[in-house]
Amino acid sequence: MHEKQAPTLKKRAPMIRTQSHRQLSLADFDWPFQTKLDEENRWVKMSECIPWDELADAYYEGLSSTQGRPTKEARLVIGAVIIKHKLNLSDRETVAQIQENPYLQYFVGLPGYQREAPFVPSLFVEIRKRMGQSVFDVFYDAVIDAVDKAKQKKPASKPKAKAKLSDDDEPPPSVSDEKSESDAVEPAHQGKLILDATIAPQAIRFPTDLSLLNEARELSEQIIDRLYAKAEPKQKPRTYRRKARKGYLAIVKKKRPGAKLIGRGIKQQLQYLRRNLGHIEQLLESFPECTPLPLPRWLLHRYWVIRYVYEQQWEMYRNHTNRCDDRIVSISQPYVRPIVRGKVDKRTEFGAKLSVSLSAGGVARVDHLRWDAFHEGHDLPSQVEAYREHHGVYPEVVLGDTIYGSRDNRRYLKGRGIRFAGKPLGRPKKVTEENQAALKRLSAQRREEYLQRIPIEGKFGQGKNGYRLNYIRAKRADTSAAWINSIFLVMNLLILLKVFYWLLKKVRAGVGYRMSRLVETCVGIWRARLQQYRLNPMPEFVALASL
């Protein structure tokens, strides 16, 4: 096998320049027009509540401060990623929107309005390569800390009566179930942890064996053309590409092709592909060893993939089966695997499987991301320990599907004093007059806790319907993981923004209450003085009485 022996240069990490990323005031933003920018704009408000310095420190991890070319500011990079996934834009459109919108330029930390693009759209690919799972773990921790600090703030407001609370006195969003921190002793267990798993489908064509073999055959023909142009043998190998294409279209254009017809088509495509792979091996023998092949890197990678595709498809065809280990469903993205979920609308999905945890504050984090199918119940111990590492205490209760309630998981939780909100294993207890009320109360509690799992399902729906979590358009495994984590980062920042708005509302209500009390006090003083004047007129009250 020939390997490309071209000399490679060591890729240096970009050089960073440490500086604070705190936002300038809106008045200091250089704006060439007469109209002032709106301080109530959503991007202005969001920029005030995001912990930029903590996010920048996480982004700069792994980058050198002395070597390499200067990189873009972390505030600009992270802000651009947030804008992209918040508005569901492409890379090019994101750069264009930042170039045209002054509020977006203020959000990404630019000192003033500029007409030039902040960077080229292709830089997004390098950004996604650089932002690994460790970077997003620090991002999640920074957002969780920001939410906790915001909840600990107690703005001055009017004292609450014991009567029914008004709308202004409601607790902050997603934190109504948390306990008060007035206890002197820190509890060993606090909060609740909600666990679930989902699939983030990739933006690939729905794979069929026939279409996959046809694509592999076309790529093999392209490889033969490139090798023949450089090798120059006596005669070009015959590929029968027109006949193969005609046979493929004769099947796929039918509305409902039968199983026998599809099987015949798969056999034909396998024979064409086997012939082409043999021609490629013969052409490769004409090139001396340790010499670079006249194939681009992406096409050489496709050649390696289509060989595995042929082996898998031939094995399934010979054994009359529809499954194999590590099955390839996309030649351009060979890391994608089919994951059977058993849902009504989508029995099989093609993408990364996520193991997600949701805290009581509404902040979700991707704990595990894998491309192969796995049992999400095995991730429960690591997710519970991650909760303890981030919050300092174990959760009081763990909410999850019945798949999380295995005997090993229940034994693990019981050993740490954590309750699993689920139906107990074994035969149900016999109902008697003595335990009827207790069993009814436990059943109602399980029902209520089952309904408390709804937020994590809503989080998945928000990501897939609002931020295209069900259509990941990245082309690499690492960039797809960064794409998925960016969507969860945006959803967590929205939780932080809601808490920020709630605090702002409470502060304004407290200021209004203090002003009303001040006005009432002043009016009371003037009324007392007027009453005193009526009872005992004095010269200094004459001017006051004339008012």
Side-chain angles (χ1 to χ4, degrees), residues 315-346:
E315 188 70 21
M316 289 189 294
Y317 177 79
R318 186 180 59 183
N319 296 331
H320 302 283
T321 182
N322 291 324
R323 71 164 308 276
C324 67
D325 296 335
D326 298 327
R327 184 174 181 177
I328 296 176
V329 295
S330 174
I331 296 179
S332 61
Q333 303 179 42
Y335 50 86
V336 179
R337 298 287 180 265
I339 300 178
V340 178
R341 300 284 290 171
K343 296 185 178 180
V344 177
D345 55 344
K346 293 181 180 180

Side-chain angles (χ1 to χ4, degrees), residues 8-28:
T8 58
L9 297 177
K10 184 177 179 181
K11 187 175 181 181
R12 296 181 178 272
M15 182 178 64
I16 61 175
R17 296 174 179 174
T18 305
Q19 65 178 21
S20 177
H21 297 272
R22 298 190 180 278
Q23 179 62 55
L24 299 174
S25 63
L26 195 62
D28 296 333

Side-chain angles (χ1 to χ4, degrees), residues 292-431:
L293 298 176
L295 295 176
R297 183 177 180 181
W298 68 270
L299 192 56
L300 186 60
H301 181 265
R302 300 294 192 277
Y303 171 60
W304 296 336
V305 174
I306 62 178
R307 293 176 60 189
Y308 284 103
V309 170
Y310 170 76
E311 293 176 1
Q312 291 180 352
Q313 293 295 328
W314 172 248
E315 188 70 21
M316 289 189 294
Y317 177 79
R318 186 180 59 183
N319 296 331
H320 302 283
T321 182
N322 291 324
R323 71 164 308 276
C324 67
D325 296 335
D326 298 327
R327 184 174 181 177
I328 296 176
V329 295
S330 174
I331 296 179
S332 61
Q333 303 179 42
Y335 50 86
V336 179
R337 298 287 180 265
I339 300 178
V340 178
R341 300 284 290 171
K343 296 185 178 180
V344 177
D345 55 344
K346 293 181 180 180
R347 185 174 179 272
T348 305
E349 294 181 286
F350 308 93
K353 187 172 182 179
L354 317 176
S355 190
V356 183
S357 61
L358 183 71
S359 63
V363 178
R365 61 183 300 130
V366 180
D367 297 303
H368 301 282
L369 187 151
R370 304 185 186 95
W371 295 99
D372 295 319
F374 63 91
H375 192 290
E376 56 264 30
H378 297 164
D379 295 334
L380 183 143
S382 60
Q383 291 175 307
V384 172
E385 295 298 333
Y387 181 93
R388 180 173 179 268
E389 181 181 354
H390 301 143
H391 296 82
V393 293
Y394 281 118
E396 293 181 357
V397 59
V398 173
L399 307 176
D401 286 333
T402 55
I403 196 172
Y404 288 94
S406 62
R407 296 185 183 275
D408 294 337
N409 288 341
R410 291 174 186 266
R411 190 181 304 110
Y412 167 82
L413 295 176
K414 184 177 179 180
R416 286 155 182 79
I418 306 172
R419 184 171 58 86
F420 179 75
K423 189 176 180 180
L425 300 177
R427 182 179 298 178
K429 294 182 179 180
K430 184 178 180 180
V431 180

